[in-house]
Amino acid sequence: MGQKGFENRELSWLAFNERVLEKAEEEQVPLCERLFFLSVFESNQDEFFMVRVGALTDLEREDPEMRENKTHRTPREQLEAIAARVRRLEKRRDRCYLELTDRLIGQGVRLVDFSRLAPGQEPILQEYFQREIRPLLSPQVVGKRQPFPFLSGGGLYAAVSLETRGGSGKLGLIACFSRFFKRLLAVDGLPGCYVLAEELILHYASSVFENYRVKGLALIRITRNADLDAEECAEEGDYRETMEKLLRRRGRRQPVRMELRGSLPSGTMSVLCRYLGIGKEEVYRCQTPRELSFFEDIRHLLQKNPALFFPRFLPQRALDGTTGRELCQRLKERDVLLSYPYESIRPFLQLLEEAASDPEVVSIKITLYRLAKDSKIVDILTQAAENGKEVLALLELGARFDEENNIEWSRRLQEAGCRVLYGLEGRKVHCKLCLITARRGGRICYLTQIGTGNYNERTAGQYTDLSYITAREAVGGEVSRIFNHLCLGEPPAGCRLLLTAPRGLQEQLLVRIEEQRAAAAAGRPAYIGMKMNALTDKRLICALMQAAKDGVQVDLLVRGSCCLVGGIAGYTQRIRVISIVGRFLEHSRLYFFGCGEEQTVYMGSADLMTRNTLRRVEVLMPVLDTACRQRLKNLFALLLSDNQNSWEQQSDGTYRRREIKEGERPLDAQAYLCRMAREGKEGRPEKKSVAYTASV
C-alpha cells in the first residue's frame, strides 16, 4: 500500500487473482472445479501480462518518469513490484498443480512424469513419438542462413542448447503444437496414462537433433504485448478494415514475458533474450506445464463422476408467461427483473423473437459488446431485418480479444440488412441497452431493457448479471435519445433519469455521494452501498473517503481491482470492502444511496474506473419499480453476509478469508440463490440440461 488509503491498481488486481488461486487450493471445492480455477488463474495471468504489463512497458518507453496517481509509482517501479508478486504467486501455483495432479491419479488419470517412468513405459513412449509425432515436426537450428523464427504469442516451443562436433554452440527450436496432433495424448499400451505433446517432444529432442550434442533443454512460451488502441492506427477508410489490420499487428508485438520450464546454459539464455528483445528480469522460471487449457480435456474424461464437480444447476424460468406477448402484458403492470444465471435468459430472447415478427414493431435497437460464438441474439436480429423491421446494432469492434468474433458478426448483420454502427471515435460503447419501438393504437410504445452484462447466452449461464425490462415511456424516451446521439456519432447527453458517461455520470455520482455526506453531517441516517468489478476512479474514491470520515457507512462489494483501502482507523474505518469469488463470476453492478424508503438504487454496466466514467459510453438506470428495488436490496444484503466465498480487505490493503463468527451459520450466497431459484413458485428448469461452472 502506498499513499494513505490507496492501493496500486495492478497489485490490487494480482490480489484478486490470488483469491482465484485460493479457490484452486481449497479442499472443499470438488477436484474438477479446482482444476478449473487453476486454469482460470493461469489465463488471467496471461491476459494481465498482455494488457496491463504491456501498457506499462509502453509507458516506460514513452514517459519513464510518469507516476500513477494513487501510489505515485513510476512504470519501472510498478513492473518490479508486479514481477516480485508474480514470482511468489507462481510458487504457490506450482505446489497446487502438483497436488491436483497427484489427486487425479486416484481418479484413474495419470500424467506421465519423465523423471519417474515406470518399467516398460520408455519403449512405448519412444515408439509412439517416432511413429505419431516426429514426422509432423519442423525443427530448426538457428544460424546465418536459418534466421531466428517468429515465435507466436502463447505457443509452446522446445528450446535446445546444441554443440557441434567442432565444439561451437547452436540454438535449436521445435514448435510443440500442430493441428495434426492433440496436446493431451493417450498413448496406446499405457491405459490411464496421458502425456503432454510438448513434454514428449522435449524428452526426445536429442533424437531430432541427432548430429549434435544436447547441452540443455527447456520448454519456452512467449507472451506478447496486446495493448493496442484502434485509434492509434486509425486511418481513412472502413473502420472494420482498420481493426483487421490492427489484429494482424497485435500478434507480432514485442514480448513482455518468457516462461521457461527446464534448464539452459547461461549463454543460450542470453542468445534467446537477445533475439526476443527482452531482459533476463522478464524470464519466469516454472516447475509445471505452461498454459493449462488441457485441464478441460481432463474434466471431460471425468465428467461421469458428478462428485468431482459442483452440483448441476439449471437456470430457472422465472416468469409465468412463456411468450413475449405474455411478458409484454406483465410489463404493463410492473417492471421485470431477471437475475442470471439463477434465472434463464430465455424470456428476454422470446421477447426479441416475437418483436421480430410483430407487425406493430417498428424497430429494434441494441448495443453489442461480447457475443456468444453461436449467438441466438444475432439470429433474431437478422430475422427481424428480413421481416422488414429497422434493426440498429451498435457493435463494438474494439472489445478486447473479441474483435475477430465481432468483425464476423458485423458482416453477417450487414448482409441481413441490419444497420451496423461501430461506436464512437475514441470511445468504446460499453453500455448494455436494447430498445423495442412499436406503434400501437396510433401511439409510440417502448419496451426497454438495460443489463449489467453482455447479450451472450453462454455467459448468462456463468456470470451473475441483472436484466431490467420496463415499458415506462420516460425511460424508453431517454434511451431512444441515447441511440439518436450514438447514430450521430455523439456521446449521449441531456438525460434526467439515466446517468450517462462520458457526460455526467461521474459528476452525478459525486452529487449523490455528497448528499449522503451532508445527511451524515446533519445527523441524519446516511448510507452508500456499491457492487462492481473494479474501483479505480480517484475522484470517486476521494469522495467516498470524505463521506466515510464524515459519518457515512460505506459497503463495497468489489470483485477485482480496488484502489481504495478501507478500515484505516480515523480515516476509512467506516468503509468495508468485500470480494466474492465463487462458482459464478460476480459481474453485476449496483449502486445504493440513502436509507429506508428514500434509498435510490441504480444498475448498469459501469464500473467505477476512469475509463468507464470518463472515456466510455455507459448508462446507469434508476430502479423505479418498488418490488424490483427491494429484491436488489435483499440481494446486496445477502452477498454482504456471505461467509463461504468472500474475502474482507484489511487496513493494510491485504485480503483475508472471512470466517464464520460465533452464532453465525455458514452462508454461500450463490448456492442459496440457486436453491431459491429452484424452489421459487415461478421457477421451472430449462429443458436442455447444462452443467454450469465458475468462470472468473
Side-chain angles (χ1 to χ4, degrees):
M1 187 173 69
Q3 185 180 353
K4 187 176 180 180
F6 290 96
E7 176 61 288
N8 174 263
R9 169 182 170 176
E10 320 307 344
L11 297 181
S12 180
W13 188 93
L14 286 172
F16 154 68
N17 211 27
E18 183 175 6
R19 298 193 285 277
V20 178
L21 179 58
E22 285 188 42
K23 293 298 291 185
E25 297 169 330
E26 189 177 327
E27 290 282 344
Q28 290 75 20
V29 173
L31 177 59
C32 283
E33 307 298 355
R34 293 178 67 184
L35 296 177
F36 179 82
F37 278 114
L38 190 59
S39 66
V40 169
F41 168 82
E42 283 284 84
S43 62
N44 283 350
Q45 293 290 99
D46 285 348
E47 185 171 332
F48 177 76
F49 271 87
M50 286 189 283
V51 178
R52 299 306 308 162
V53 174
L56 285 171
T57 302
D58 288 341
L59 185 60
E60 183 185 27
R61 184 178 61 254
E62 296 162 5
D63 191 353
E65 298 304 317
M66 177 176 282
R67 296 180 180 273
E68 49 95 8
N69 67 351
K70 300 176 187 71
T71 58
H72 305 305
R73 287 181 167 100
T74 65
R76 174 46 45 191
E77 289 169 341
Q78 292 181 76
L79 288 169
E80 290 174 352
I82 287 168
R85 182 76 62 85
V86 167
R87 294 185 201 282
R88 291 200 299 272
L89 287 177
E90 290 188 342
K91 289 180 181 177
R92 284 177 60 181
R93 174 209 59 203
D94 289 348
R95 291 194 297 269
C96 184
Y97 175 87
L98 293 174
E99 180 197 345
L100 295 180
T101 50
D102 280 347
R103 287 176 178 263
L104 285 173
I105 296 172
Q107 302 300 325
V109 176
R110 182 187 297 271
L111 291 173
V112 169
D113 181 349
F114 282 99
S115 66
R116 296 184 295 176
L117 289 179
Q121 284 187 329
E122 177 77 50
I124 295 173
L125 290 166
Q126 186 171 20
E127 192 275 333
Y128 181 88
F129 171 76
Q130 294 296 341
R131 185 184 74 247
E132 300 289 341
I133 305 297
R134 175 67 181 89
L136 302 174
L137 302 180
S138 299
Q140 178 178 345
V141 176
V142 178
K144 292 181 179 180
R145 295 182 183 272
Q146 299 85 24
F148 190 83
F150 174 78
L151 304 187
S152 62
L156 288 161
Y157 297 85
V160 187
S161 180
L162 303 170
E163 185 178 81
T164 67
R165 292 176 180 174
S168 61
K170 294 283 187 179
L171 172 63
L173 291 169
I174 310 172
C176 297
F177 51 93
S178 169
R179 64 188 181 91
F180 295 106
F181 57 78
K182 295 181 179 180
R183 186 176 177 204
L184 186 68
L185 302 169
V187 181
D188 295 339
L190 297 176
C193 286
Y194 297 85
V195 63
L196 294 173
E198 68 268 20
E199 302 281 354
L200 191 66
I201 293 168
L202 188 71
H203 186 71
Y204 294 112
S206 58
S207 67
V208 176
F209 299 101
E210 55 189 349
N211 294 323
Y212 295 86
R213 180 186 171 198
V214 174
K215 302 196 70 177
L217 294 162
L219 290 167
I220 62 171
R221 181 171 179 263
I222 307 304
T223 306
R224 293 186 178 274
N225 187 344
D227 185 55
L228 276 180
D229 186 344
E231 303 306 321
E232 292 178 4
C233 61
E235 55 190 58
E236 293 184 7
D238 185 78
Y239 181 67
R240 187 167 63 196
E241 293 177 2
T242 299
M243 285 300 303
E244 290 176 316
K245 293 176 182 177
L246 173 71
L247 293 179
R248 290 193 290 271
R249 281 181 50 186
R250 184 168 72 187
R252 303 189 69 84
R253 290 206 73 193
Q254 175 66 22
V256 294
R257 174 180 66 166
M258 180 172 74
E259 297 171 285
L260 182 142
R261 184 185 184 196
S263 178
L264 293 172
S266 59
T268 305
M269 284 295 301
S270 297
V271 168
L272 262 177
C273 290
R274 185 176 73 251
Y275 277 128
L276 292 168
I278 62 174
K280 291 186 177 180
E281 70 278 5
E282 294 166 302
V283 177
Y284 290 79
R285 297 178 181 273
C286 44
Q287 304 301 316
T288 53
R290 301 297 73 239
E291 202 273 312
L292 301 177
S293 60
F294 68 91
F295 274 173
E296 188 58 33
D297 295 326
I298 294 176
R299 284 162 51 90
H300 183 73
L301 290 170
L302 299 173
Q303 64 181 342
K304 292 183 179 179
N305 186 347
L308 302 179
F309 296 84
F310 286 130
R312 187 176 295 271
F313 175 74
L314 307 175
Q316 304 296 296
R317 292 295 296 274
L319 305 174
D320 289 334
T322 58
T323 70
R325 291 186 185 278
E326 289 169 322
L327 179 56
C328 287
Q329 290 300 315
R330 177 174 293 219
L331 287 166
K332 291 179 181 179
E333 302 169 6
R334 63 179 178 85
D335 300 342
V336 166
L337 180 69
L338 298 175
S339 179
Y340 309 144
Y342 312 107
E343 295 167 345
S344 172
I345 193 176
R346 186 62 192 160
F348 172 66
L349 295 179
Q350 288 180 311
L351 183 68
L352 281 182
E353 286 171 347
E354 297 201 12
S357 58
D358 186 340
E360 294 184 313
V361 168
V362 177
S363 66
I364 301 174
K365 300 177 182 180
I366 192 168
T367 59
L368 302 173
Y369 197 77
R370 299 188 193 277
L371 291 160
K373 295 293 183 183
D374 54 348
S375 174
K376 293 183 178 66
I377 298 281
V378 171
D379 290 341
I380 297 169
L381 295 176
T382 57
Q383 186 61 52
E386 290 166 0
N387 289 343
K389 311 299 180 190
E390 178 195 356
V391 176
L392 172 67
L394 198 149
L395 183 56
E396 182 53 70
L397 297 189
R400 185 175 280 124
F401 303 124
D402 274 74
E403 299 96 341
E404 291 184 22
N405 194 36
N406 288 356
I407 286 170
E408 289 306 310
W409 285 128
S410 72
R411 287 197 177 97
R412 179 173 169 188
L413 287 164
Q414 282 186 328
E415 289 168 359
C418 301
R419 182 182 173 194
V420 178
L421 303 180
Y422 301 139
L424 304 186
E425 185 175 347
R427 302 185 192 280
K428 288 183 178 179
V429 178
H430 189 256
C431 58
K432 313 299 189 278
L433 293 175
C434 179
L435 180 69
I436 299 170
T437 305
R439 188 173 184 87
R440 305 188 192 279
R443 60 186 295 270
I444 299 297
C445 303
Y446 298 113
L447 284 181
T448 307
Q449 185 271 349
I450 184 168
T452 64
N454 296 297
Y455 296 105
N456 185 315
E457 305 89 286
R458 183 184 64 84
T459 56
Q462 299 170 327
Y463 297 0
T464 73
D465 270 311
L466 297 161
S467 176
Y468 188 80
I469 310 172
T470 180
R472 295 174 190 264
E473 186 175 339
V475 174
E478 290 199 354
V479 172
S480 179
R481 288 194 291 275
I482 288 173
F483 275 109
N484 288 341
H485 279 287
L486 295 175
C487 287
L488 296 173
E490 304 169 351
C495 293
R496 296 180 59 192
L497 282 173
L498 307 181
L499 309 185
T500 63
R503 298 177 180 175
L505 187 145
Q506 186 192 67
E507 292 299 329
Q508 289 297 318
L509 289 176
L510 289 170
V511 167
R512 282 150 183 77
I513 294 171
E514 173 60 24
E515 288 172 350
Q516 295 307 304
R517 190 203 65 78
R524 299 193 303 273
Y527 178 77
I528 297 171
M530 296 179 169
K531 180 180 185 297
M532 68 203 89
N533 298 327
L535 172 60
T536 65
D537 185 312
K538 188 173 182 179
R539 284 193 72 192
L540 290 168
I541 289 173
C542 290
L544 289 170
M545 288 178 172
Q546 187 59 54
K549 285 178 69 175
D550 290 343
V552 180
Q553 177 61 43
V554 180
D555 286 327
L556 302 176
L557 279 168
V558 188
R559 188 194 76 228
S561 298
C562 181
C563 294
L564 182 156
V565 179
I568 301 175
Y571 198 61
T572 60
Q573 75 270 16
R574 290 190 181 89
I575 300 179
R576 177 172 55 158
V577 180
I578 303 294
S579 176
I580 293 177
V581 180
R583 171 178 183 169
F584 304 115
L585 175 75
E586 287 294 335
H587 195 249
S588 56
R589 290 87 161 185
L590 291 168
Y591 301 94
F592 301 82
F593 300 96
C595 303
E597 295 298 319
E598 297 181 356
Q599 186 177 71
T600 56
V601 182
Y602 290 87
M603 60 166 284
S605 59
D607 291 312
L608 299 193
M609 306 176 74
T610 308
R611 73 181 189 190
N612 297 86
T613 57
L614 296 179
R615 297 198 297 273
R616 287 184 172 183
V617 175
E618 294 280 16
V619 176
L620 291 181
M621 176 179 175
V623 179
L624 302 174
D625 183 88
T626 302
C628 292
R629 193 162 57 244
Q630 186 60 50
R631 187 177 171 192
L632 293 178
K633 292 180 183 181
N634 295 343
L635 172 65
F636 190 70
L638 177 71
L639 293 170
L640 284 174
S641 301
D642 186 296
N643 55 25
Q644 297 295 290
N645 296 306
S646 61
W647 283 255
E648 187 161 4
Q649 188 193 59
Q650 307 301 298
S651 60
D652 62 357
T654 62
Y655 285 78
R656 182 181 300 166
R657 193 73 180 262
R658 294 181 76 183
E659 298 178 352
I660 300 175
K661 298 177 182 177
E662 186 176 350
E664 283 187 341
R665 298 176 62 183
L667 175 61
D668 179 333
Q670 293 185 355
Y672 176 85
L673 290 167
C674 287
R675 188 169 68 253
M676 291 299 100
R678 279 194 298 263
E679 297 175 359
K681 294 180 180 178
E682 296 181 333
R684 60 182 181 82
E686 293 272 78
K687 291 181 180 179
K688 185 177 179 182
S689 175
V690 183
Y692 293 97
T693 56
S695 180
V696 200

